[in-house]
Amino acid sequence: MVRILDLRFQGVERVIASFLLDSGEGPVLIETGPESTYARLEAALRAEGVLPEEVRHVFVTHIHLDHAGAAWRLAELGATVYVHPQGAPHLVDPSRLLASAERIYGDGLKALWGEVRGIPKERVRPLADGERVRLGGLEVQALATPGHAGHHHAYRVGDLVFTGDVAGVRIAPGPVLPPTPPPDIHLESWHASLDRLLALRPEALYLTHFGAYEDVEAHLQALKEALEAWAGWVLHRLKEGLPQEEMARRFEAYWREGLERAGLDEGGMRLYALADPPFMNLQGLVRYWQKHHPEALGG
């Protein structure tokens, strides 16, 4: 049984989730959310009859602060934190991660994401692609799924897959959208990761942003189409040579129009903006084209 813990990011429901599972070796947590919501995570655990110090196994899909920012808190209580090998050094020494986040968020960093500290190396367990962790009767398999980030894992537990950001952002009743922040977006890898998830034929996808979805094939296909549409839009604007501010204004309008067509009101749009800010999506796709396909910009 999976229990979805709503971390109420910025005081709002249905933006960031953690997932609580039972095992023969105590409670298991997938995703911690940011440190700014740690008090809420503790309260949600207690509401499920779990003391935070009873959580001995924590799996994070990647090291972005909305997914792993509170991992150090649980490690302080004795938990082992499982992560992609490329992400592990940044949990131990988060200085580069924080420097990157400061470039994006500036003075708003701490208010959004809270405090970040390093985790002792012995508390961090890197997992190879396909590696399985057996915890009593529970088995968690790491699946390398790059695209959103090079150091991204999804986790397979039976017929369920906990997808981090590789399966997008979807806040019911809204559509699935791609989170494409800088610096690691790579569309070719992302499409391959989505094909890998499709081939598993899981019963449900558990999205950190937000919740469980059983229409797996339709969901992943819609995400592929959205990735292509957004990337194509950005490429055309780059070819036009639009100034950055004008491109940002137009992209937000494009983003809003898509959500309006899907039937979302202002409240629904706010949830998507908190989970998947449009300005960051634009920055990541601009970087993708400039870094990986500069030849495409000359036409």
Side-chain angles (χ1 to χ4, degrees), residues 220-287:
L220 296 177
Q221 186 57 41
L223 178 56
K224 284 186 173 188
E225 292 169 3
L227 272 169
E228 287 300 308
W230 282 17
W233 188 97
V234 171
L235 177 59
H236 286 304
R237 301 296 88 74
L238 285 169
K239 286 183 172 182
E240 289 173 5
L242 284 183
Q244 184 174 344
E245 287 187 6
E246 177 64 13
M247 192 186 301
R249 186 190 69 79
R250 290 199 197 179
F251 184 79
E252 182 159 353
Y254 169 72
W255 175 88
R256 288 182 65 86
E257 288 164 8
L259 291 177
E260 285 172 356
R261 284 196 305 273
L264 266 69
D265 59 14
E266 287 295 326
M269 288 187 198
R270 184 186 177 214
L271 298 182
Y272 274 89
L274 285 169
D276 191 21
F279 79 93
M280 289 182 58
N281 289 323
L282 175 62
Q283 289 176 5
L285 289 168
V286 166
R287 180 179 170 85

Side-chain angles (χ1 to χ4, degrees), residues 105-126:
Y105 298 105
D107 293 339
L109 175 65
K110 190 161 186 177
L112 281 169
W113 309 118
E115 185 178 1
V116 180
R117 297 183 189 174
I119 299 174
K121 189 174 182 180
E122 63 270 18
R123 291 280 173 211
V124 178
R125 167 88 181 275

Side-chain angles (χ1 to χ4, degrees), residues 142-166:
L143 303 170
T145 41
H148 169 81
H151 65 279
H152 194 288
H153 274 330
Y155 293 107
R156 184 184 188 183
V157 179
D159 291 326
L160 311 177
V161 177
F162 297 83
T163 62
D165 278 340
V166 73

